[in-house]
Amino acid sequence: MSGYNFDSFFQESTGGNFLPIVKYDARAGRVSKRDRGPDGTHEVDITRNFKAIFDMENAEAGWIMFPAGAAPQFHMSRMADGEPVAKPGEDFKRGVRFVLKLSKDCGGDVRELASNANAFMKGVRKLFADYKEGSKSNPGKLPVVTMADSVAETSGEGQRKSTNYVPVFEITGWVTRPEDLVYAPRNSSPPPSSSPSSYGSAPATGSTKVAAPVDEDDFG
């Protein structure tokens, strides 16, 4: 990611595999995962113990649209490739997408996290800055990331007033890439069997606080 300008990149990718998701709800400052079972899909709030290895080497940036009642649309490319493409339409917003491996306490599986919320993007900019600095002394390793807090930001006035929460991501350690954390180009939209609301709001069930200390054994 050397030489990458986070503020000026953002563009397109197509084709690839789909992963189960982790979501950040900027309106509540919470993290959840969506699981499928015999009785359908359900949300699991993992805010308090959120910890994951982020594949920052293969992070994607570009344009995302979450249309109401329809599948999300992604036009992304790998940031390290540095090949921007044009914004695909007026309803798309700048966004980022990560592949990550959750700690065993959060399920231990590989998932993706994507958002185009302005509050999320602010938190991610700081995470990228910390990653760039920390990777100098941790070559070839990936960061273990927790969410220490979420900070409320209010915008607008009157009926247009709204509050969103900027995630405070922290790099709490560095580990060797797990064997199952393998990058593959992502699809532009979920398969037909996926729920259109897969990237809907996470449950708002309290304030955001720090996760447990880092331990490489947490990831198997």
Side-chain angles (χ1 to χ4, degrees):
M1 289 181 58
S2 60
Y4 174 75
N5 185 331
F6 184 83
D7 291 321
S8 65
F9 180 74
F10 296 107
Q11 314 282 335
E12 171 176 66
S13 77
T14 58
N17 303 314
F18 293 102
L19 291 172
I21 64 171
V22 171
K23 302 182 298 182
Y24 178 73
D25 183 0
R27 293 170 296 178
R30 303 197 66 79
V31 182
S32 68
K33 61 178 183 172
R34 176 172 285 260
D35 289 339
R36 290 183 178 274
D39 56 348
T41 60
H42 59 281
E43 301 287 339
V44 180
D45 190 289
I46 56 173
T47 304
R48 291 182 61 84
N49 60 341
F50 175 71
K51 182 191 295 185
I53 299 170
F54 276 54
D55 188 0
M56 301 293 283
E57 293 178 355
N58 295 303
E60 296 176 337
W63 304 93
I64 306 174
M65 178 172 64
F66 295 110
Q73 297 183 33
F74 298 92
H75 293 266
M76 317 287 285
S77 64
R78 186 171 169 268
M79 294 170 68
D81 293 338
E83 298 180 356
V85 295
K87 182 178 181 179
E90 288 301 317
D91 292 331
F92 284 82
K93 294 176 60 179
R94 287 177 175 175
V96 292
R97 180 163 57 181
F98 302 97
V99 176
L100 54 81
K101 180 179 174 64
L102 292 173
S103 67
K104 289 188 291 186
D105 193 35
C106 292
D109 57 343
V110 174
R111 296 186 175 234
E112 71 172 48
L113 167 66
S115 179
N116 61 2
N118 288 334
F120 181 81
M121 299 293 278
K122 288 182 179 180
V124 165
R125 285 189 177 93
K126 177 62 165 58
L127 175 60
F128 271 114
D130 292 344
Y131 168 72
K132 184 176 181 180
E133 181 63 29
S135 62
K136 296 176 182 177
S137 55
N138 294 279
K141 292 189 175 183
L142 297 178
V144 176
V145 178
T146 64
M147 192 173 74
D149 202 353
S150 60
V151 179
E153 286 195 353
T154 301
S155 60
E157 297 180 356
Q159 294 183 345
R160 295 181 179 272
K161 184 176 181 179
S162 64
T163 300
N164 289 282
Y165 293 83
V166 177
V168 181
F169 291 118
E170 289 188 352
I171 295 176
T172 55
W174 296 81
V175 297
T176 302
R177 176 185 292 274
E179 292 183 359
D180 57 346
L181 187 54
V182 179
Y183 175 76
R186 317 304 301 146
N187 280 2
S188 291
S189 59
S193 59
S194 292
S195 168
S197 60
S198 291
Y199 284 92
S201 299
T205 56
S207 60
T208 300
K209 289 303 173 187
V210 69
V214 177
D215 183 343
E216 191 163 350
D217 290 338
D218 286 350
F219 298 92

